Amino acid sequence: MQKNNPSWPAGIKRTKQRESVISVLENSDSPLSAMEICRQAKTKNNSVWLSTVYRILELFVREGVVTRTDITNKDMAVYELNRHLHRHYAVCLRCKRVIEMNNCPFDNFVPSFSESGFHIFGHKIEIYGYCKDCEKLFFKGKES
Amino acid sequence: MQKNNPSWPAGIKRTKQRESVISVLENSDSPLSAMEICRQAKTKNNSVWLSTVYRILELFVREGVVTRTDITNKDMAVYELNRHLHRHYAVCLRCKRVIEMNNCPFDNFVPSFSESGFHIFGHKIEIYGYCKDCEKLFFKGKES
DNA sequence: ATTACTGCAAAGCATTTGCAGACTG
DNA sequence: CAGTCTGCAAATGCTTTGCAGTAAT
């Protein structure tokens, strides 16, 4: 997010730590944990403390610039830029790798409820299973 | 889960703590946290230590008898009996009421992944929004 | 200059782990 | 009676918080 980038939220002070966090997220095509963001920021010689990263993420989530996702069976939240894309992920039950889904089952779907009048704001979908690599191991395990 | 209940997983030793955990889950119509399960088990005069509850839940999840869910922005996992119903719910953001959905968006849907070879075992869907009653209040709030 | 932000340390809290004694099959 | 499970305590790991010094506007 460059200077003058209009998507920098209004009234939010620029600090090198905040720009650094945003920069890491901009250069990632998958959601990252706070720890990973901190590690990558340090690599770039931008020292950012982990607690600061959490504070910055909390701020940007509140501002709507970043989204936070809690993944089942993973004990860490992951964060990504809110690119206003509607996206869901699959998680490998073994290696916890997160794989992007390119479409959404709610497109062209009309939900039917047991009670009328529910106003949907959004949804969260989580797909679980085994990734290519872990499935091999999984079935190898079953064979023996 | 009574004695001789065929759904008790094969080869799993019966202990009063395990039966107690399952009993709490059987008598609940909503998913419970480990702490809540522990509390309810204690109420029934069945002393179960919290760490034991976690070990028991881990075992039953592995055996497929129980499912674990992490709820967004809640820092506790919740557990429920795996009733083998394929069902999704909508949760009201205000009153937390849970409303059943009668269909599933994954019927007749072919997911597309950014990486090939992911083997889907299942999915979880969380729909959020406002129920009929809370929506009225919500919009009343916005007007004033 | 004023107010907000960060470094750092330390606390919080759900969950996990280690170990010795208790219990199940 | 052998191996597993539990009580208990202590550790772990992610996340939050408190505080004093630092930086942004």
Side-chain angles (χ1 to χ4, degrees):
Chain A
M1 202 173 281
Q2 303 301 312
K3 294 262 174 194
N4 305 322
N5 185 320
S7 62
W8 187 279
I12 298 301
K13 207 175 270 188
R14 280 173 186 278
T15 65
K16 66 178 193 308
Q17 293 86 344
R18 291 179 177 179
E19 293 188 327
S20 165
V21 164
I22 289 292
S23 155
V24 167
L25 290 175
E26 275 182 333
N27 294 318
S28 169
D29 51 2
S30 62
L32 304 174
S33 68
M35 224 152 29
E36 180 60 18
I37 292 166
C38 190
R39 205 187 54 71
Q40 290 192 25
K42 282 204 171 80
T43 303
K44 298 181 178 190
N45 288 328
N46 295 319
S47 163
V48 192
W49 220 250
L50 183 54
S51 56
T52 303
V53 169
Y54 277 110
R55 275 190 278 230
I56 291 173
L57 289 170
E58 189 195 358
L59 168 71
F60 282 124
V61 166
R62 203 164 51 233
E63 294 294 326
V65 176
V66 167
T67 58
R68 170 189 164 150
T69 313
D70 296 276
I71 303 223
T72 304
N73 299 331
K74 239 195 153 182
D75 43 4
M76 282 189 300
V78 290
Y79 300 83
E80 65 190 314
L81 277 194
N82 183 1
R83 299 190 156 91
H84 299 289
L85 297 175
H86 189 84
R87 189 168 283 167
H88 301 298
Y89 300 98
V91 186
C92 178
L93 289 167
R94 190 180 154 276
C95 72
K96 313 295 179 199
R97 193 141 56 98
V98 172
I99 290 162
E100 228 170 79
M101 213 167 102
N102 300 317
N103 52 358
C104 169
F106 271 91
D107 295 343
N108 308 315
F109 173 76
V110 181
S112 142
F113 293 103
S114 57
E115 180 186 310
S116 65
F118 191 89
H119 185 218
I120 298 179
F121 266 45
H123 60 259
K124 183 187 160 196
I125 295 179
E126 229 174 54
I127 293 150
Y128 49 91
Y130 287 93
C131 74
K132 197 167 44 188
D133 300 335
C134 292
E135 196 176 13
K136 287 179 208 156
L137 296 167
F138 180 75
F139 285 113
K140 193 168 282 174
K142 291 273 164 180
E143 281 162 19
S144 60
Chain B
M1 202 174 280
Q2 302 302 311
K3 295 261 176 195
N4 307 320
N5 185 320
S7 62
W8 187 278
I12 298 302
K13 209 175 269 189
R14 277 172 188 278
T15 66
K16 67 177 191 309
Q17 292 86 344
R18 290 178 179 182
E19 294 189 326
S20 166
V21 164
I22 290 292
S23 155
V24 167
L25 290 174
E26 275 182 333
N27 295 319
S28 169
D29 51 2
S30 62
L32 303 174
S33 68
M35 224 154 28
E36 180 60 17
I37 292 165
C38 190
R39 205 187 55 71
Q40 289 193 23
K42 281 202 171 82
T43 301
K44 298 182 176 190
N45 287 328
N46 295 319
S47 163
V48 191
W49 220 249
L50 184 54
S51 56
T52 303
V53 169
Y54 277 111
R55 276 190 279 232
I56 291 173
L57 288 170
E58 189 194 358
L59 168 71
F60 282 123
V61 167
R62 203 162 54 234
E63 294 293 326
V65 176
V66 167
T67 58
R68 170 188 163 151
T69 311
D70 295 274
I71 305 243
T72 306
N73 299 330
K74 245 196 144 181
D75 45 2
M76 281 188 302
V78 290
Y79 301 84
E80 65 189 316
L81 279 193
N82 182 359
R83 298 180 203 273
H84 299 289
L85 296 175
H86 189 88
R87 191 167 282 169
H88 301 299
Y89 301 97
V91 184
C92 177
L93 289 166
R94 190 180 155 275
C95 71
K96 311 294 179 200
R97 192 141 55 99
V98 172
I99 290 164
E100 229 169 78
M101 215 167 100
N102 301 317
N103 52 357
C104 169
F106 271 91
D107 296 343
N108 309 315
F109 173 75
V110 181
S112 142
F113 292 102
S114 59
E115 180 187 310
S116 65
F118 191 90
H119 185 218
I120 299 179
F121 267 44
H123 60 259
K124 272 179 190 153
I125 296 179
E126 209 181 294
I127 294 155
Y128 48 90
Y130 288 93
C131 73
K132 195 167 44 186
D133 300 335
C134 291
E135 195 175 15
K136 286 178 209 157
L137 295 167
F138 179 75
F139 285 113
K140 192 167 285 175
K142 291 273 166 180
E143 283 161 20
S144 61

